[in-house]
Amino acid sequence: MLMLYVAIVIYNKKLSDVLSRYSAKRLLEKHGEKKTKIIVVDNSDKSFYVDDEELNEFVATHGIAYIKNGKNLGLSKAYNKAVEYALHDSTNPKFDFLMLLDDDTDITYDYIREIYKEYKAPSRVNDGVNVITGIIESGGNPMSPVRSFTFNYHRSNCIRKPGIYDDVYCISSGMAVRLSAIEMVGGFEEALFLDMIDYTFLYNLSRHDLNRMLVINARMEQSFSGRTKQDRRLAMKRYKIYRKDFMKFCELTGINKWYGRLHLLKRKIALEIKNRK
């Protein structure tokens, strides 16, 4: 029997503050524990932990896999915790998929339902699709998937029509990946803490001729760090994480480091302007 695993990574949030919980719970209630499995990976700091009654009930009632790390391991390691669990639990890694959700993802049940419908379609056996995603928007603008990695946003680079595409890129939140494909590329790159994880992963899929993506006719709204005004101190703290991950991404994918540094300089200047008092 096919299984869709849904991994929700949370950080310093109660379940009641996680936007995707209702849709994931509804999917589970609709299709049952034998066809869907939710994995909650908790990256919250020890100092944050409180008695979360909703989370306790969620886990106990629906047989949720709850992985408590006790500290922020970063997104890649959290994803890999979910991958490890799913591979151990799965009886069919070649056919089962793992869907990734972050705690700031505003995902509708219709979106998850379409992912569920497509991952188990009979055509998935032979069409070579290893990644399924929808059309991701932010503030009314298309953001993902894209035809290629670019340093700057170009609307024309965004894929806006459903279909099957080879060697394209999408954000990790809201995408589902065949478990065997994840295993073949060794999971997610743990040298990356928070950023460029998705692009690096899809780059590795392409290197193994595994990056065939189905873009479904469903939309999702996603917030992106750096696109909204925030406290300057927090913005610069977030930028430092991005800077480290981005330069590692350049190293891993062969992008010229000077082009990378130019991109980072532009990003820093834009943040300074946006968040100045």
Side-chain angles (χ1 to χ4, degrees), residues 111-179:
Y111 182 99
I112 292 187
R113 181 187 62 196
E114 288 301 308
I115 291 282
Y116 181 85
K117 181 177 74 174
E118 291 296 342
Y119 104 90
K120 65 183 184 65
S123 58
R124 291 295 82 77
V125 176
N126 299 312
D127 64 7
V129 166
N130 288 310
V131 182
I132 306 172
T133 189
I135 297 170
I136 317 302
E137 299 175 338
S138 179
N141 294 312
M143 300 298 295
S144 172
V146 294
R147 293 178 175 82
S148 61
F149 169 77
T150 58
F151 287 110
N152 299 304
Y153 172 79
H154 299 287
R155 192 181 182 90
S156 61
N157 190 40
C158 299
I159 294 170
R160 287 175 279 177
K161 292 184 179 180
I164 294 178
Y165 299 84
D166 290 316
D167 298 319
V168 295
Y169 295 85
C170 68
I171 66 169
S172 55
S173 192
M175 80 173 179
V177 189
R178 194 183 300 273
L179 280 176

Side-chain angles (χ1 to χ4, degrees), residues 3 76 81 100 108 132 136 158 167 203 206 268-269:
M3 178 74 78
S76 281
K81 291 272 189 179
L100 302 172
T108 65
I132 306 172
I136 317 302
C158 299
D167 298 319
Y203 169 82
S206 290
K268 184 177 181 180
I269 292 172

